[in-house]
Amino acid sequence: MQNLKVDIVVMGSGGAGLTAAVTALDYGASVACFEKRPFQAGSVSNCAIGVTAVKNDPRYQAAAFNSIFNYTNYNGDPGVIKAWINNTWRILPFMDKVGAKYKLRAELPLEKVGKGEAGGFPPQTRIGDAYYMIGRGKGHGSAIVALQSRRYFEAHGGQFFVDTPIVDIFTEGGKVCGVLAKHNKTGEEYKVECKAVIVASGGFGNDREMIKKYIGHNYTDNNCSNGGDVLFNFFPTETMTGDGHKLCWKLGGAKGGMGINGHNLVPGPGIIGNTPWIAYDETRVMEEQPYFWVNKNGERFVDESQSSNHMAMGTSIARQPGKMGYIIYDDDTREYLETHGPDFEYFIFQAEHLHDIKGQFERLAKLGNEHAFMTDTLEELADKAGIDKEGLLKNVARYNYYCDQGRDGDFSKDPKFMRPVRKGPFYALRVFNAGYSTVGGIKVNGRMEVINDDGKPIPGLYSAGDCMVGELWGNPPVGGIGNYSHALGFGFTAADSACEYIGIKEEEL
Amino acid sequence: MKLEIKDYCVRCGMCEDLYPEVFHLNVPEDRIDIKYDEIPPELEEKALGAIADCAVGAIFKK
Ligand SMILES: Cc1cc2nc3c(=O)[nH]c(=O)nc-3n(C[C@H](O)[C@H](O)[C@H](O)COP(=O)(O)OP(=O)(O)OC[C@H]3O[C@@H](n4cnc5c(N)ncnc54)[C@H](O)[C@@H]3O)c2cc1C
Ligand code: SF4
């Protein structure tokens, strides 16, 4: 057993944890950061290509606040929404400080706040300037931000422990007074005396019971092999077992809104690799396209031109019978895609080319993927894919009629995306709602203080990142997202509040 | 040529996506496996590619 004494302990070294750790250190606190995996970075190891930052200007901040609060139907926590928005400008100087590089991708004029293209998310969430973090080699920039943050933290006297999860948080007289951490391999224990703990342990995407109990979905793996209905495990998420949630709740913290950071995804082998941004397979791009989507009754259920709004597609798929949808093309559309190129291309899942869609479907079949279908007739397609035949034929006829009329009588989809389904062979992909991770669960106020059911803070206990981000979106979180910008914004806020609490930073009004 | 991977590798698995002949993302052990103790000459170019491409510069020649 090793005994340590610091001012602040940080649980987790993802975007939220490392930002909080570095910020608290710079205020002059002594800080120890414990990470469960053998390295830093958390979820950003697998992505986070870009980040949103709202200008440090009250006009922009107010417009952004109004857009998000309105989007949540006034159900999100206004303090939490402000904490995020009003702290995002700090992201850029933070990156400068730790030595990470970024580049402006798109500046957002004031009149466009809450409107326009939001890169996979609803327009109301497009509230700030979009930046790319500049990566190394073929990697993504946030991995570098995490590494640089860790280096900065260690170089400035922070104590960083990998492979050493926090297993308990202690209180004395109701106030946080310490933690217990235990090395995964050696079993060595660390008893740490501290004044405050910042819980930044991410989601619970790998805890099936929690997913069922709090989100109501059945977890399934990458191949959908256990017949579940929400894919979680398509990127390594072993450590995401809601450890921080459980400890906060044990100490009397209230449960906050919980949901899925969702999007549409075809399961099974051959669709995506480890790293979503490396062009891996054309089928991943085909599932972005805005043509003809139905449920297993053969009914359309959404304006398909939302297909690049991943969260919307994920949520609408989850509402369908069997929590699944189908994307169907005919051979004319195959030819169109191969010659003209895709209509939609999500900047993360880029294809270098779409040149052999038939070949791709054959390859998927060889790999044992059970979610891609290619048949000569629509009747066969319905049989093979498990779609109600009568429903499919009826709705294809209806859709084809709308295509001929140039007017979508069901969803008013933009006519330019109305492509009929007539000429075989026909292609179908079965698509599910997939979770990058979970959203929320720890209830906090706008100071990132973990609060109990009466809304009173547990002194010394703070939380930031995916584990509390549900508070932004209400309960249940309306189309919740947990992203890198949130993780950083909340990380700053949690560090500010913890340093005020321990008396090394003056409280701001 | 021998390769080593520094402990700060973020296990993104990109090296496996790009150079599956050389790397394997070992998910249960949460590490990257290098498939050869001594990289065969015909794969050296790929190994050098991985050193250049790695997300955090964690792959080195030993
Ligand atoms: C595949 C994927 C793609 C994404 N793409 C984007 C994108 O393009 N843009 C974007 O903005 N966002 C993206 N996100 C979301 C974004 O990465 C996350 O919202 C954000 O990084 C969450 O940060 P966090 O610090 O809250 O949690 P995490 O980064 O998940 O960090 C939590 C850390 O806590 C550790 N931990 C868990 N339990 C313990 C314990 N008991 N003790 C100590 N440590 C513990 C975990 O190991 C982990 O390292 C993506 C997420 C995923 C998974
Ligand atoms: S690309 Fe680099 S950081 Fe990613 S898994 Fe390979 S060695 Fe690790």
Side-chain angles (χ1 to χ4, degrees):
Chain A
M1 168 88 74
Q2 290 208 32
N3 289 298
L4 298 172
K5 192 173 170 189
V6 291
D7 293 327
I8 296 173
V9 166
V10 177
M11 177 179 188
S13 70
L18 277 171
T19 307
V22 164
T23 306
L25 196 71
D26 279 353
Y27 283 128
S30 56
V31 186
C33 178
F34 286 87
E35 168 54 51
K36 190 175 181 178
R37 290 181 83 179
F39 58 95
Q40 74 297 328
S43 296
V44 300
S45 65
N46 266 100
C47 217
I49 200 174
V51 76
T52 296
V54 180
K55 288 186 190 6
N56 189 18
D57 173 329
R59 293 169 309 151
Y60 285 79
Q61 291 172 339
F65 172 79
N66 289 333
S67 179
I68 296 287
F69 201 24
N70 173 285
Y71 170 67
T72 70
N73 203 15
Y74 304 99
N75 192 1
D77 182 309
V80 173
I81 299 174
K82 272 190 195 151
W84 167 47
I85 288 170
N86 296 359
N87 283 290
T88 50
W89 66 268
R90 295 166 70 178
I91 294 172
L92 306 177
F94 178 82
M95 294 212 195
D96 292 336
K97 178 167 78 178
V98 299
K101 297 196 182 76
Y102 52 86
K103 170 170 104 196
L104 182 66
R105 183 161 69 93
E107 194 166 7
L108 191 70
L110 186 56
E111 66 279 7
K112 283 277 173 63
V113 172
K115 302 178 187 93
E117 200 270 324
F121 296 100
Q124 296 93 324
T125 63
R126 173 90 169 91
I127 53 148
D129 299 332
Y131 289 86
Y132 271 130
M133 281 86 68
I134 297 175
R136 179 193 182 276
K138 295 208 165 102
H140 269 329
S142 46
I144 289 288
V145 181
L147 178 60
Q148 290 297 99
S149 304
R150 173 182 172 177
R151 286 180 170 152
Y152 182 99
F153 180 68
E154 290 181 304
H156 290 78
Q159 299 183 64
F160 194 70
F161 300 86
V162 288
D163 240 342
T164 314
I166 289 178
V167 293
D168 213 348
I169 302 176
F170 306 113
T171 53
E172 200 180 304
K175 291 181 179 170
V176 163
C177 65
V179 305
L180 183 69
K182 194 172 174 184
H183 196 280
N184 283 324
K185 299 194 177 92
T186 63
E188 168 110 52
E189 289 189 329
Y190 296 81
K191 196 155 188 220
V192 191
E193 207 182 302
C194 64
K195 297 176 197 151
V197 173
I198 298 173
V199 173
S201 53
F204 53 87
N206 207 30
D207 187 313
R208 294 161 199 228
E209 265 176 44
M210 285 178 81
I211 289 170
K212 183 75 194 162
K213 188 164 173 192
Y214 299 119
I215 314 183
H217 289 301
N218 293 308
Y219 171 102
T220 186
D221 61 19
N222 189 8
N223 297 333
C224 255
S225 52
N226 59 351
D229 49 37
V230 169
L231 295 163
F232 263 102
N233 206 15
F234 62 103
F235 296 109
T237 54
E238 279 77 44
T239 58
M240 300 309 186
T241 46
D243 298 6
H245 298 68
K246 290 167 193 161
L247 292 177
C248 287
W249 294 342
K250 192 175 103 177
L251 293 175
K255 292 190 176 77
M258 288 174 254
I260 294 170
N261 197 349
H263 64 135
N264 46 299
L265 188 70
V266 178
I271 303 284
I272 47 169
N274 303 314
T275 40
W277 61 92
I278 301 288
Y280 185 74
D281 195 292
E282 298 177 357
T283 44
R284 184 64 192 81
V285 177
M286 289 171 62
E287 57 179 278
E288 301 289 314
Q289 305 313 315
Y291 311 133
F292 182 63
W293 293 47
V294 292
N295 64 18
K296 66 192 283 208
N297 292 330
E299 294 155 346
R300 288 175 72 207
F301 55 91
V302 69
D303 166 359
E304 296 93 341
S305 69
Q306 288 297 316
S307 58
S308 68
N309 176 348
H310 292 179
M311 206 173 67
M313 294 316 268
T315 330
S316 59
I317 291 164
R319 283 186 58 245
Q320 304 313 310
K323 300 186 183 175
M324 60 177 77
Y326 293 87
I327 307 163
I328 298 177
Y329 306 107
D330 74 354
D331 206 49
D332 275 339
T333 298
R334 179 210 42 88
E335 201 182 321
Y336 168 84
L337 281 168
E338 287 181 5
T339 49
H340 167 275
D343 272 314
F344 283 172
E345 203 171 352
Y346 186 39
F347 71 107
I348 294 180
F349 304 109
Q350 284 170 7
E352 275 153 9
H353 44 235
L354 273 168
H355 68 310
D356 182 19
I357 291 172
K358 254 186 212 170
Q360 291 282 329
F361 272 75
E362 283 160 7
R363 199 174 72 83
L364 290 178
K366 268 199 207 119
L367 286 170
N369 190 308
E370 294 169 3
H371 306 280
F373 311 92
M374 181 169 59
T375 59
D376 288 332
T377 65
L378 278 172
E379 287 82 353
E380 272 177 273
L381 193 75
D383 283 341
K384 265 191 149 174
I387 309 172
D388 179 82
K389 201 182 293 175
E390 211 179 305
L392 180 65
L393 295 176
K394 191 173 118 198
N395 286 299
V396 164
R398 182 184 174 94
Y399 184 67
N400 287 347
Y401 169 78
Y402 288 146
C403 291
D404 294 343
Q405 300 292 309
R407 186 188 69 86
D408 177 3
D410 288 333
F411 293 97
S412 313
K413 182 166 75 175
D414 187 334
K416 72 175 183 245
F417 301 129
M418 299 293 288
R419 304 191 59 80
V421 183
R422 281 204 175 102
K423 183 179 158 201
F426 299 95
Y427 308 83
L429 292 165
R430 193 189 276 137
V431 62
F432 290 78
N433 183 21
Y436 283 128
S437 182
T438 60
V439 172
I442 299 176
K443 201 164 172 64
V444 296
N445 59 20
R447 292 173 46 80
M448 303 304 114
E449 292 166 322
V450 176
I451 54 176
N452 64 19
D453 280 323
D454 292 327
K456 298 277 187 248
I458 297 167
L461 193 57
Y462 300 84
S463 181
D466 275 0
C467 48
M468 50 56 66
V469 72
E471 299 312 291
L472 254 186
W473 309 112
N475 194 357
V478 181
I481 320 164
N483 70 22
Y484 195 49
S485 175
H486 302 143
L488 298 173
F490 294 135
F492 296 127
T493 315
D496 290 353
S497 302
C499 289
E500 286 164 9
Y501 171 73
I502 65 171
I504 60 168
K505 177 184 178 294
E506 259 181 49
E507 200 162 325
E508 282 165 32
L509 286 179
Chain B
M1 181 205 240
K2 284 186 182 356
L3 290 182
E4 69 169 319
I5 296 183
K6 300 285 184 195
D7 60 357
Y8 56 78
C9 146
V10 293
R11 279 68 161 177
C12 61
M14 184 177 68
C15 46
E16 182 192 54
D17 281 354
L18 295 171
Y19 309 103
E21 308 86 345
V22 186
F23 302 96
H24 170 60
L25 174 63
N26 183 335
V27 174
E29 297 295 325
D30 213 355
R31 62 160 196 254
I32 291 289
D33 293 334
I34 303 168
K35 291 188 175 172
Y36 302 91
D37 190 32
E38 179 74 39
I39 305 293
E42 67 276 15
L43 293 179
E44 278 191 5
E45 206 178 311
K46 300 203 181 242
L48 291 173
I51 292 173
D53 291 341
C54 168
V56 291
I59 310 175
F60 283 83
K61 262 204 260 185
K62 249 207 255 191

